Structure formats: C-alpha cells, structure tokens
Amino acid sequence: MPDVPVDSHLARSRFRQPCAEDLCVTTPSVTTEQNNQEVLDVFGKHRDLASLPVTENDTPIGLINRAIFMSQ
C-alpha cells in the first residue's frame, strides 16, 4: 500500500479533544471610561447578553452581570 500523505491539521481537527477555545463567542465589551448609560445602550442592543466584559487597554478586567446591573 503506497504512503498517502495525511493533512495533519485535518487529522487534528477531526480527532482533537475539546478545549476552552471551542466555547469562545465574540461579544461586545465596554471600557472603564464608558458610563452607565452606554452600558445600558449595549445591553439594549444585545438583549441575549447575560454579561458584558469590561476591558482596560484591551485586557479584560471585569464582568457586568445584566440582572444585577438592571436591578440597580
């Protein structure tokens, strides 16, 4: 039987273990400079968001929970 080249990327993707990257979803975020009205606007535009990441210099530093934010 002749050697058939195997695409190693394809082999890895078909049989790899799930990892945290598989759970990643692109979401909007807010910065520390944004005020509560801007946060409310983001939650209003994205009604499916349960939480909103807060970033500083493109680094995540916190999370705003929708239910807690709306109850305040």
Side-chain angles (χ1 to χ4, degrees), residues 27-40 42-43 52-64 69:
T27 61
S29 64
V30 292
T31 65
T32 55
E33 290 81 31
Q34 291 179 273
N35 62 35
N36 286 351
Q37 183 60 51
E38 292 170 309
V39 171
L40 184 61
V42 173
F43 276 132
L52 190 58
V54 180
T55 61
E56 187 173 60
N57 300 322
D58 295 326
T59 301
I61 61 166
L63 202 57
I64 300 173
F69 178 81

Tab-separated table of all heavy atoms in Angstrom, residues 27-40 42-43 52-64 69:
chain	number	residue	atom	x	y	z
A	27	THR	N	-18.204	38.845	21.609
A	27	THR	CA	-19.234	39.672	22.229
A	27	THR	C	-18.746	41.109	22.308
A	27	THR	O	-17.538	41.365	22.302
A	27	THR	CB	-19.562	39.207	23.661
A	27	THR	OG1	-18.384	39.311	24.461
A	27	THR	CG2	-20.064	37.793	23.688
A	28	PRO	N	-19.664	42.038	22.406
A	28	PRO	CA	-19.234	43.424	22.621
A	28	PRO	C	-18.658	43.558	24.023
A	28	PRO	O	-18.895	42.706	24.890
A	28	PRO	CB	-20.529	44.224	22.479
A	28	PRO	CG	-21.626	43.259	22.722
A	28	PRO	CD	-21.106	41.910	22.322
A	29	SER	N	-17.912	44.608	24.233
A	29	SER	CA	-17.370	44.886	25.569
A	29	SER	C	-17.438	46.386	25.803
A	29	SER	O	-17.702	47.162	24.886
A	29	SER	CB	-15.928	44.390	25.688
A	29	SER	OG	-15.092	45.091	24.797
A	30	VAL	N	-17.225	46.782	27.035
A	30	VAL	CA	-17.161	48.196	27.386
A	30	VAL	C	-15.816	48.451	28.049
A	30	VAL	O	-15.163	47.529	28.532
A	30	VAL	CB	-18.316	48.626	28.324
A	30	VAL	CG1	-19.643	48.569	27.604
A	30	VAL	CG2	-18.358	47.799	29.585
A	31	THR	N	-15.415	49.710	28.047
A	31	THR	CA	-14.162	50.079	28.689
A	31	THR	C	-14.453	50.765	30.014
A	31	THR	O	-15.601	51.114	30.314
A	31	THR	CB	-13.343	51.034	27.796
A	31	THR	OG1	-14.063	52.258	27.667
A	31	THR	CG2	-13.074	50.430	26.433
A	32	THR	N	-13.423	50.984	30.778
A	32	THR	CA	-13.585	51.643	32.069
A	32	THR	C	-14.003	53.095	31.919
A	32	THR	O	-14.511	53.689	32.872
A	32	THR	CB	-12.276	51.567	32.881
A	32	THR	OG1	-11.214	52.124	32.099
A	32	THR	CG2	-11.939	50.136	33.239
A	33	GLU	N	-13.828	53.664	30.738
A	33	GLU	CA	-14.195	55.061	30.504
A	33	GLU	C	-15.686	55.245	30.184
A	33	GLU	O	-16.197	56.364	30.206
A	33	GLU	CB	-13.370	55.668	29.361
A	33	GLU	CG	-11.910	55.889	29.698
A	33	GLU	CD	-11.083	54.609	29.572
A	33	GLU	OE1	-11.420	53.761	28.716
A	33	GLU	OE2	-10.121	54.450	30.336
A	34	GLN	N	-16.391	54.172	29.874
A	34	GLN	CA	-17.796	54.291	29.491
A	34	GLN	C	-18.697	54.411	30.722
A	34	GLN	O	-18.420	53.809	31.764
A	34	GLN	CB	-18.206	53.110	28.615
A	34	GLN	CG	-17.521	53.197	27.247
A	34	GLN	CD	-17.870	52.052	26.352
A	34	GLN	OE1	-17.216	51.029	26.410
A	34	GLN	NE2	-18.896	52.222	25.542
A	35	ASN	N	-19.782	55.179	30.578
A	35	ASN	CA	-20.676	55.396	31.712
A	35	ASN	C	-21.838	54.390	31.698
A	35	ASN	O	-21.978	53.586	30.778
A	35	ASN	CB	-21.181	56.838	31.735
A	35	ASN	CG	-21.980	57.199	30.505
A	35	ASN	OD1	-22.708	56.379	29.950
A	35	ASN	ND2	-21.835	58.439	30.055
A	36	ASN	N	-22.698	54.474	32.725
A	36	ASN	CA	-23.807	53.530	32.861
A	36	ASN	C	-24.795	53.612	31.703
A	36	ASN	O	-25.358	52.594	31.305
A	36	ASN	CB	-24.532	53.757	34.183
A	36	ASN	CG	-23.727	53.255	35.358
A	36	ASN	OD1	-22.714	52.594	35.200
A	36	ASN	ND2	-24.187	53.577	36.556
A	37	GLN	N	-25.019	54.795	31.173
A	37	GLN	CA	-25.946	54.923	30.043
A	37	GLN	C	-25.415	54.162	28.831
A	37	GLN	O	-26.181	53.505	28.118
A	37	GLN	CB	-26.179	56.393	29.678
A	37	GLN	CG	-27.183	56.583	28.555
A	37	GLN	CD	-28.562	56.013	28.881
A	37	GLN	OE1	-29.115	56.314	29.939
A	37	GLN	NE2	-29.103	55.192	27.993
A	38	GLU	N	-24.126	54.222	28.593
A	38	GLU	CA	-23.528	53.491	27.469
A	38	GLU	C	-23.621	51.983	27.692
A	38	GLU	O	-23.868	51.217	26.750
A	38	GLU	CB	-22.087	53.935	27.263
A	38	GLU	CG	-21.986	55.372	26.766
A	38	GLU	CD	-20.577	55.914	26.785
A	38	GLU	OE1	-19.908	55.816	27.838
A	38	GLU	OE2	-20.158	56.450	25.744
A	39	VAL	N	-23.441	51.541	28.927
A	39	VAL	CA	-23.596	50.114	29.249
A	39	VAL	C	-25.048	49.698	28.991
A	39	VAL	O	-25.309	48.657	28.382
A	39	VAL	CB	-23.183	49.826	30.708
A	39	VAL	CG1	-23.543	48.398	31.105
A	39	VAL	CG2	-21.696	50.081	30.910
A	40	LEU	N	-25.993	50.515	29.432
A	40	LEU	CA	-27.412	50.236	29.213
A	40	LEU	C	-27.715	50.156	27.716
A	40	LEU	O	-28.474	49.272	27.283
A	40	LEU	CB	-28.260	51.319	29.868
A	40	LEU	CG	-29.763	51.140	29.815
A	40	LEU	CD1	-30.188	49.868	30.528
A	40	LEU	CD2	-30.449	52.350	30.419
A	42	VAL	N	-25.673	49.218	25.330
A	42	VAL	CA	-25.126	47.951	24.801
A	42	VAL	C	-26.052	46.799	25.174
A	42	VAL	O	-26.377	45.953	24.329
A	42	VAL	CB	-23.692	47.693	25.334
A	42	VAL	CG1	-23.201	46.311	24.916
A	42	VAL	CG2	-22.733	48.763	24.831
A	43	PHE	N	-26.498	46.750	26.429
A	43	PHE	CA	-27.433	45.696	26.822
A	43	PHE	C	-28.739	45.805	26.028
A	43	PHE	O	-29.350	44.795	25.693
A	43	PHE	CB	-27.725	45.751	28.325
A	43	PHE	CG	-26.701	45.043	29.163
A	43	PHE	CD1	-26.155	45.667	30.278
A	43	PHE	CD2	-26.292	43.751	28.892
A	43	PHE	CE1	-25.228	45.024	31.079
A	43	PHE	CE2	-25.359	43.087	29.679
A	43	PHE	CZ	-24.828	43.727	30.775
A	52	LEU	N	-21.456	41.391	30.383
A	52	LEU	CA	-20.715	42.264	29.476
A	52	LEU	C	-19.296	42.433	29.999
A	52	LEU	O	-19.108	42.894	31.124
A	52	LEU	CB	-21.425	43.612	29.413
A	52	LEU	CG	-21.001	44.627	28.378
A	52	LEU	CD1	-21.116	44.072	26.969
A	52	LEU	CD2	-21.865	45.872	28.513
A	53	PRO	N	-18.297	42.048	29.217
A	53	PRO	CA	-16.913	42.205	29.665
A	53	PRO	C	-16.508	43.674	29.752
A	53	PRO	O	-16.925	44.495	28.934
A	53	PRO	CB	-16.082	41.504	28.585
A	53	PRO	CG	-17.048	40.774	27.724
A	53	PRO	CD	-18.379	41.401	27.915
A	54	VAL	N	-15.698	43.979	30.740
A	54	VAL	CA	-15.118	45.313	30.891
A	54	VAL	C	-13.625	45.178	30.597
A	54	VAL	O	-12.954	44.296	31.149
A	54	VAL	CB	-15.312	45.860	32.318
A	54	VAL	CG1	-14.696	47.242	32.452
A	54	VAL	CG2	-16.788	45.895	32.683
A	55	THR	N	-13.113	46.040	29.724
A	55	THR	CA	-11.703	45.965	29.347
A	55	THR	C	-10.979	47.268	29.673
A	55	THR	O	-11.585	48.337	29.733
A	55	THR	CB	-11.547	45.674	27.847
A	55	THR	OG1	-12.150	46.723	27.099
A	55	THR	CG2	-12.169	44.342	27.470
A	56	GLU	N	-9.689	47.118	29.867
A	56	GLU	CA	-8.804	48.262	30.059
A	56	GLU	C	-7.540	47.968	29.270
A	56	GLU	O	-6.887	46.941	29.510
A	56	GLU	CB	-8.489	48.443	31.542
A	56	GLU	CG	-7.704	49.696	31.855
A	56	GLU	CD	-7.577	49.895	33.358
A	56	GLU	OE1	-7.004	49.015	34.021
A	56	GLU	OE2	-8.065	50.917	33.840
A	57	ASN	N	-7.228	48.821	28.302
A	57	ASN	CA	-6.094	48.580	27.395
A	57	ASN	C	-6.202	47.218	26.721
A	57	ASN	O	-5.235	46.466	26.643
A	57	ASN	CB	-4.765	48.710	28.141
A	57	ASN	CG	-4.562	50.078	28.734
A	57	ASN	OD1	-4.921	51.082	28.119
A	57	ASN	ND2	-4.018	50.134	29.936
A	58	ASP	N	-7.409	46.887	26.255
A	58	ASP	CA	-7.699	45.615	25.567
A	58	ASP	C	-7.490	44.381	26.441
A	58	ASP	O	-7.407	43.270	25.938
A	58	ASP	CB	-6.890	45.493	24.275
A	58	ASP	CG	-7.296	46.532	23.256
A	58	ASP	OD1	-8.493	46.877	23.215
A	58	ASP	OD2	-6.428	46.997	22.495
A	59	THR	N	-7.424	44.572	27.753
A	59	THR	CA	-7.288	43.453	28.680
A	59	THR	C	-8.570	43.344	29.497
A	59	THR	O	-9.013	44.332	30.079
A	59	THR	CB	-6.098	43.677	29.637
A	59	THR	OG1	-4.916	43.825	28.854
A	59	THR	CG2	-5.935	42.516	30.595
A	60	PRO	N	-9.189	42.161	29.534
A	60	PRO	CA	-10.400	42.020	30.338
A	60	PRO	C	-10.080	42.170	31.825
A	60	PRO	O	-9.141	41.571	32.331
A	60	PRO	CB	-10.899	40.615	30.022
A	60	PRO	CG	-9.807	39.922	29.315
A	60	PRO	CD	-8.822	40.940	28.846
A	61	ILE	N	-10.872	43.021	32.509
A	61	ILE	CA	-10.633	43.231	33.941
A	61	ILE	C	-11.880	42.990	34.780
A	61	ILE	O	-11.811	42.993	36.004
A	61	ILE	CB	-10.090	44.651	34.231
A	61	ILE	CG1	-11.103	45.702	33.798
A	61	ILE	CG2	-8.740	44.867	33.584
A	61	ILE	CD1	-10.815	47.077	34.344
A	62	GLY	N	-13.016	42.798	34.141
A	62	GLY	CA	-14.235	42.588	34.900
A	62	GLY	C	-15.382	42.144	34.027
A	62	GLY	O	-15.236	41.988	32.814
A	63	LEU	N	-16.520	41.950	34.690
A	63	LEU	CA	-17.708	41.465	34.015
A	63	LEU	C	-18.922	42.126	34.665
A	63	LEU	O	-19.044	42.144	35.891
A	63	LEU	CB	-17.788	39.950	34.184
A	63	LEU	CG	-18.590	39.125	33.219
A	63	LEU	CD1	-18.118	39.325	31.789
A	63	LEU	CD2	-18.482	37.658	33.585
A	64	ILE	N	-19.801	42.690	33.848
A	64	ILE	CA	-21.023	43.293	34.356
A	64	ILE	C	-22.162	42.308	34.113
A	64	ILE	O	-22.447	41.948	32.974
A	64	ILE	CB	-21.332	44.630	33.651
A	64	ILE	CG1	-20.202	45.622	33.876
A	64	ILE	CG2	-22.664	45.192	34.150
A	64	ILE	CD1	-20.339	46.910	33.082
A	69	PHE	N	-26.967	44.556	37.091
A	69	PHE	CA	-26.898	45.937	36.573
A	69	PHE	C	-28.305	46.517	36.424
A	69	PHE	O	-28.564	47.656	36.829
A	69	PHE	CB	-26.159	45.954	35.227
A	69	PHE	CG	-26.072	47.313	34.606
A	69	PHE	CD1	-25.110	48.205	35.011
A	69	PHE	CD2	-26.968	47.694	33.615
A	69	PHE	CE1	-25.025	49.477	34.436
A	69	PHE	CE2	-26.898	48.954	33.033
A	69	PHE	CZ	-25.923	49.849	33.454
